Structure formats: structure tokens, C-alpha cells
């Protein structure tokens, strides 16, 4: 069973930055694609960013493009989400996800999920 553990959430002022981490229990065919989703209170879970461990393929939601960056440290089996120029509307619980296919998708069609980390952006 693949385990994903997020960290790095917190409270930040608008315009600030945070870096989320997702430590995966393995880096294998079972975690071919890694992604970040978020869910705000009363809203559906939405796609934020995704990519492969090689970094050759990445995708971003339009709402975070040019502000957020997904990256990985392969020896550490860790994926990051660098979030800059944060806005109050970025407030949500952020989830790390993995799927056992090397195809980046923006729907929640992922096999494994972390427990989530809260990000709160104050105005």
C-alpha cells in the first residue's frame, strides 16, 4: 500500500509563499504520476498541479499557473508544491495524490491520497 504524507501547510498573508511537501513511501510504477489537489470548504476537490517524477511532463490549473511550481526530489521520494503570490482564494486543504499510470490527468482519478494539509491565506 502506497502511503503519502503531506507537510508544509500553514497560515500566510496574501502575497506570501509556502512550500508543501509530499513524502511517498515508494517511487515506482505505482506512483507514476504525482499530483496536488485542493478542497475549500463547501467546494469540490479541484486539480492544482501534476507531473511525473522525471519532470518531463507537468500540468497546472489556470488559476495557479505562473504562481505554483511542482517539482520532485527523487532520491527522497518527495514531491513539492512551491506556492508564490498566494491569494485568499488559495485557502484550502491541499492533498497529494498518486496514480499508477504515467499519464497526467486533471480529474481525481488517482489511486492513492494523502491526509491533506491546511493552507490559509489571510487578506
Amino acid at each position: 500500500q502506497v502511503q503519502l504524507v503531506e507537510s508544509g501547510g500553514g497560515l500566510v498573508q496574501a502575497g506570501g509563499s509556502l512550500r508543501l511537501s509530499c513524502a511517498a513511501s515508494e517511487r515506482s510504477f505505482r506512483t507514476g504520476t504525482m499530483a496536488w489537489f485542493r478542497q475549500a470548504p463547501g467546494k469540490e476537490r479541484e486539480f492544482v498541479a501534476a507531473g511525473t517524477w522525471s519532470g518531463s511532463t507537468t500540468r497546472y490549473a489556470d488559476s495557479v499557473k505562473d504562481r505554483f511550481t511542482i517539482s520532485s526530489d527523487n532520491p527522497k521520494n518527495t514531491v513539492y508544491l512551491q506556492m508564490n503570490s498566494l491569494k485568499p482564494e488559495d485557502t484550502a486543504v491541499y492533498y497529494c495524490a498518486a496514480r499508477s499510470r504515467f499519464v497526467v490527468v486533471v480529474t481525481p482519478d488517482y489511486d492513492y491520497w494523502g491526509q491533506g494539509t491546511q493552507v490559509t491565506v489571510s487578506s
Side-chain angles (χ1 to χ4, degrees), residues 7 15 26 29 31 38 43 50 65-66 78 89 95 98 107 123:
S7 62
E26 63 184 80
F29 71 94
T31 58
R38 66 186 181 187
K43 295 187 176 181
K65 202 171 294 183
D66 299 327
T78 300
E89 50 264 44
Y95 296 91
T107 57
S123 57

Side-chain angles (χ1 to χ4, degrees), residues 61-114:
D62 288 342
S63 59
V64 306
K65 202 171 294 183
D66 299 327
R67 298 190 299 123
F68 291 10
T69 303
I70 188 170
S71 64
S72 66
D73 185 334
N74 291 4
K76 294 183 178 179
N77 290 355
T78 300
V79 174
Y80 302 101
L81 184 68
Q82 178 66 44
M83 306 185 295
N84 299 328
S85 302
L86 282 161
K87 305 175 181 180
E89 50 264 44
D90 293 319
T91 295
V93 176
Y94 283 70
Y95 296 91
C96 177
R99 69 195 304 261
S100 57
R101 290 165 287 279
F102 292 88
V103 178
V104 174
V105 298
V106 302
T107 57
D109 184 24
Y110 285 74
D111 304 306
Y112 308 101
W113 292 84

